[in-house]
Amino acid sequence: MKDEVKNLRSYLMTGVSYMIPIVVIGGVLIALSIALSGVEAGTGANVTNPFLQKMLNVGVKAFGLMVPVLAGFIAFGIADRPGIAPGLVGGALANEIGAGFLGGIIAGFVAGYTARWVKSWNVPKQIRPIMPIFVIPLVTTGIVGIIMYIIGTPISGFMNFMTEGLKSMSTGNAVFLAIVMGAMIAFDMGGPMNKVAFMFAAAMIGEGVYTVMGPVAVAICIPPLAMGTAALLKPKKYTEAEKEAGKGAIAMGLIGITEGAIPFAAADPVRVIPSIMVGSAVGAAVAAIGKVGDHAPHGGPIVLPVVDNKIMFIIAVLVGMAVTVIMVNTLKKEVKEEKYEKESDEVSIDFN
């Protein structure tokens, strides 16, 4: 059992190690384009300069590869090269159904184990040459596609259920609503729960209520800022790849890109996700107590020009960061750096 858990972590880290450069490239380019353009009340990030628009587009395209690459190389870790194509497709489907990086992890494991199972089939000699280029990817992709579309329906229904729940809570205690939304923002960092909370807060701006987006804007930036800071403060508890990702995460946090924390959460979800959820919830609660308002559908310190009660916004972010940093660095243990990537000159790959 212990060896199997170790294997699961190794497969996961293979995907994370290949995903990190994509996250950094996409996140930093998006952050730069938005930082140089700024945000406006009511519209949020408004990139109009042609060069910055192209920079933003490149960053968005790179970011769009994040989940497919994560899924593809988790599958690669499990089944070698025959797992890559089905994993990539599964990750793309996770993006399409709005399942986020957690959906990508599911897709990667399903693709990897399915491809490994198909590879084990005892087929006639005449069929073996086409197994790695036709049979394995086709059968595996079909199974992954069916599973991803099956989980897509409940995800959509759950998002509608959560939206209605937030609407019912909006007439009650503002601090409790902020805690719930802060935790949702951090839970999947761009996934279904994050999107529900963000879209609800953005809709409230249209109603002239800015004190819902205020706590959400605080919660949005806490995961990447806190995880980047945590890696700087306790470097022995993070891999070299995570420490590099931490620098990009801080840049993304300043611009309100929650996804900057995904490499940390994907590598160690049991410790990281609860830590960022608690930190974001606490930060959002402090913002609600301080009646922080945000006039732009965006988050992070970049929105300060359009924020009501700027001092409390900053305090809320710092408090939430401190909670996450302390919690995650208390929970995490020192790591022994491992090489998770499979190098072609070091690994003998079986195509049959």
Side-chain angles (χ1 to χ4, degrees), residues 55-76:
M55 181 187 293
L56 177 64
N57 186 54
V58 172
V60 169
K61 297 298 183 187
F63 230 46
L65 295 172
M66 176 178 63
V67 174
V69 168
L70 174 63
F73 283 95
I74 287 174
F76 170 59

Side-chain angles (χ1 to χ4, degrees), residues 326-342:
I326 293 169
M327 185 173 172
V328 76
N329 279 347
T330 300
L331 293 173
K332 287 182 76 70
K333 300 176 182 179
E334 291 189 6
V335 298
K336 293 179 181 179
E337 185 69 21
E338 298 179 53
K339 191 172 183 60
Y340 293 99
E341 299 92 332
K342 293 190 175 185

Side-chain angles (χ1 to χ4, degrees), residues 91-118:
L93 290 173
N95 273 344
E96 182 181 307
I97 66 175
F101 87 98
L102 293 173
I105 291 174
I106 293 171
F109 278 108
V110 170
Y113 281 111
T114 303
R116 194 161 76 179
W117 169 62
V118 178

Side-chain angles (χ1 to χ4, degrees), residues 16-206:
V16 171
S17 65
Y18 282 100
M19 177 189 69
I20 284 174
I22 299 292
V23 176
V24 173
I25 291 168
V28 171
L29 288 176
I30 293 171
L32 277 174
S33 62
I34 294 175
L36 295 172
S37 301
V39 298
E40 299 176 2
T43 60
N46 190 15
V47 182
T48 56
N49 180 279
F51 176 77
L52 295 180
Q53 284 180 335
K54 289 181 173 59
M55 181 187 293
L56 177 64
N57 186 54
V58 172
V60 169
K61 297 298 183 187
F63 230 46
L65 295 172
M66 176 178 63
V67 174
V69 168
L70 174 63
F73 283 95
I74 287 174
F76 170 59
I78 298 168
D80 293 323
R81 289 187 183 177
I84 294 179
L88 291 171
V89 173
L93 290 173
N95 273 344
E96 182 181 307
I97 66 175
F101 87 98
L102 293 173
I105 291 174
I106 293 171
F109 278 108
V110 170
Y113 281 111
T114 303
R116 194 161 76 179
W117 169 62
V118 178
K119 280 172 62 178
S120 70
W121 288 359
N122 186 15
V123 298
K125 288 183 179 180
Q126 296 87 339
I127 298 177
R128 287 179 189 173
I130 64 169
M131 284 291 288
I133 59 173
F134 184 77
V135 178
I136 296 173
L138 189 63
V139 172
T140 304
T141 300
I143 293 172
V144 171
I146 291 169
I147 291 174
M148 295 310 293
Y149 278 123
I150 286 173
I151 69 173
T153 300
I155 286 174
S156 176
F158 187 52
M159 289 176 72
N160 292 331
F161 172 77
M162 288 188 294
T163 301
E164 293 302 315
L166 290 177
K167 286 179 181 177
S168 66
M169 282 189 283
S170 64
T171 58
N173 189 304
V175 175
F176 178 70
L177 177 64
I179 290 171
V180 171
M181 295 185 72
M184 289 173 65
I185 286 290
F187 173 70
D188 53 5
M189 293 153 281
M193 293 188 74
N194 174 286
K195 283 185 172 65
V196 167
F198 178 81
M199 294 306 296
F200 179 75
M204 295 303 287
I205 292 177

Side-chain angles (χ1 to χ4, degrees), residues 76 80-81 340-350:
F76 170 59
D80 293 323
R81 289 187 183 177
Y340 293 99
E341 299 92 332
K342 293 190 175 185
E343 301 292 346
S344 59
D345 58 347
E346 295 178 359
V347 178
S348 177
I349 298 174
D350 178 16

